[in-house]
Amino acid sequence: MAKKRPQTKAKRPQITEGEVPVVGAREPCPCGSGRRYKACHGRAAAHAVTELVHRPFEGLPGECDWVALRELVPAATVELPLKGGLPEGVPSLTLATVLPMAWPALRRDDGSVLLGLQNDTASGDISRDLADTLQRALTAEPGTPIEGRRAPADGPRLQDLLDPEGAFEPVVHSGFEFWVPDSENATPEVAASLERANAAAIPTAKLTGVDAAYWCETPEKNHLRWVMPYPEEQLLDALARLHAAGRSNLGEGTRLVGSFRAHGLTVPVWDLPSGVGADDIEKPAAEFAERLATALASDAPLTADERRARGGLTNRQVTLS
């Protein structure tokens, strides 16, 4: 019987970790391991893509306003400063809640960049997805909308690109005319998108006396939605203390009705009478902020009434993201 010759394997080219390209999940891994990509280097990439970052805007100036513009505010813009300044040929960089045709970003004819915030993202890290879109927009040809894609798992985040010392000052708009410099000459597609967006926009205003508090008007009643930076458990305890003491409202006819949970932060919500506008609520909100600061500083155990109030607030909490 003939002897079997020993099997020899050809040496595969060595690829460093940083050089392994992304391929289809069922394709052979480019590193040469012989395994499918999803079972080799694709495993870490898939984990990075799907792992949820609970506070994607943490560390950015105006984290609470980032959350509000992502989840609560229909039409708003913010001028964004980059580390090292804007590249040549980009006169401005503007964050917008929504862009026409739901584009993730747009490089205008004049070279300026609009970055959309309220878009579906491909990974569990909104900050990384937005940073990838931003980088592509900064180098796109003028007059080009930017399409969505899956961001590289090792790509930068907004925290790596934006100036940490820059101000974050949202400007709330009544409609979406900021989309185009000359709305009367917009393309039919953009004009139709603008009309639909304006029709759906809820009147909204940002309070000036406290941070990240937004008044909005609905047909039946008005509301105040206030994104707060405090740890959730501590904030709920403080709200429960005030609620049990009858000091959680913002004036006659107003009521603390619950809260949202969004991107790792808590957003208390008040019902307001239809006649109460944003200006009317400025002083009561500032006074409430003082009461809340005192309640947050307390470490005393909750009383029975306060525990019941906390339970009611928790039961009425809705998670947005």
Side-chain angles (χ1 to χ4, degrees):
M1 184 180 291
K3 294 182 178 179
K4 291 184 178 179
R5 293 183 180 180
Q7 297 292 319
T8 59
K9 295 182 179 179
K11 291 185 177 180
R12 297 184 175 93
Q14 298 297 311
I15 301 178
T16 63
E17 292 287 329
E19 296 175 341
V20 178
V22 175
V23 298
R26 301 178 66 84
E27 295 180 34
C29 188
C31 76
S33 67
R35 291 181 291 173
R36 290 177 178 176
Y37 179 69
K38 70 176 183 179
C40 191
H41 281 84
R43 181 180 300 168
H47 178 71
V49 167
T50 58
E51 185 178 13
L52 179 64
V53 177
H54 291 281
R55 288 182 64 179
F57 307 116
E58 185 177 15
L60 290 172
E63 179 189 6
C64 293
D65 284 307
W66 277 92
V67 172
L69 268 56
R70 168 75 183 184
E71 299 294 342
L72 307 174
V73 181
T77 56
V78 186
E79 296 301 311
L80 295 179
L82 286 179
K83 288 181 179 179
L86 295 173
E88 185 177 355
V90 181
S92 64
L93 168 59
T94 305
L95 179 73
T97 48
V98 182
L99 293 181
M101 315 299 291
W103 287 326
L106 172 65
R107 182 86 186 270
R108 280 176 162 165
D109 291 336
D110 65 356
S112 60
V113 170
L114 290 175
L115 177 66
L117 182 57
Q118 294 179 14
N119 287 301
D120 292 336
T121 54
S123 80
D125 187 353
I126 297 171
S127 178
R128 194 180 309 281
D129 289 332
L130 289 170
D132 176 68
T133 300
L134 171 56
Q135 285 188 311
R136 290 185 289 128
L138 291 170
T139 58
E141 290 295 323
T144 304
I146 308 303
E147 302 293 337
R149 74 169 190 181
R150 188 180 74 178
D154 59 350
R157 308 177 72 237
L158 288 175
Q159 288 82 346
D160 302 315
L161 302 181
L162 300 182
D163 184 354
E165 303 300 324
F168 191 83
E169 300 176 350
V171 176
V172 178
H173 303 274
S174 59
F176 296 88
E177 282 72 20
F178 63 85
W179 280 355
V180 286
D182 184 4
S183 59
E184 293 183 357
N185 294 321
T187 65
E189 294 82 1
V190 171
S193 184
L194 177 61
E195 184 177 357
R196 289 193 300 270
N198 281 343
I202 295 173
T204 301
K206 186 179 188 299
L207 299 195
T208 60
V210 295
D211 293 333
Y214 291 82
W215 169 94
C216 68
E217 180 182 21
T218 62
E220 295 184 358
K221 62 185 70 175
N222 298 342
H223 305 279
L224 183 72
R225 300 177 291 190
W226 191 342
V227 187
M228 295 188 172
Y230 314 109
E232 180 178 349
E233 297 302 314
Q234 181 187 10
L235 177 57
L236 288 175
D237 281 354
L239 291 174
R241 295 180 197 279
L242 295 175
H243 201 60
R247 306 184 69 205
S248 64
N249 61 36
L250 299 174
E252 185 178 355
T254 70
R255 185 168 67 98
L256 175 64
V257 293
S259 63
F260 298 128
R261 183 189 290 113
H263 305 295
L265 298 181
T266 303
V267 188
V269 178
W270 286 262
D271 279 352
L272 312 173
S274 296
V276 174
D279 291 340
D280 300 322
I281 212 70
E282 287 279 6
K283 182 178 179 182
E287 293 171 346
F288 177 84
E290 295 180 0
R291 299 197 298 274
L292 180 63
T294 300
L296 286 166
S298 175
D299 58 1
L302 296 181
T303 66
D305 287 343
E306 290 168 349
R307 288 196 300 272
R308 282 192 290 271
R310 193 187 195 283
L313 292 171
T314 303
N315 290 337
R316 295 192 298 273
Q317 191 173 49
V318 176
T319 299
L320 297 181
S321 57

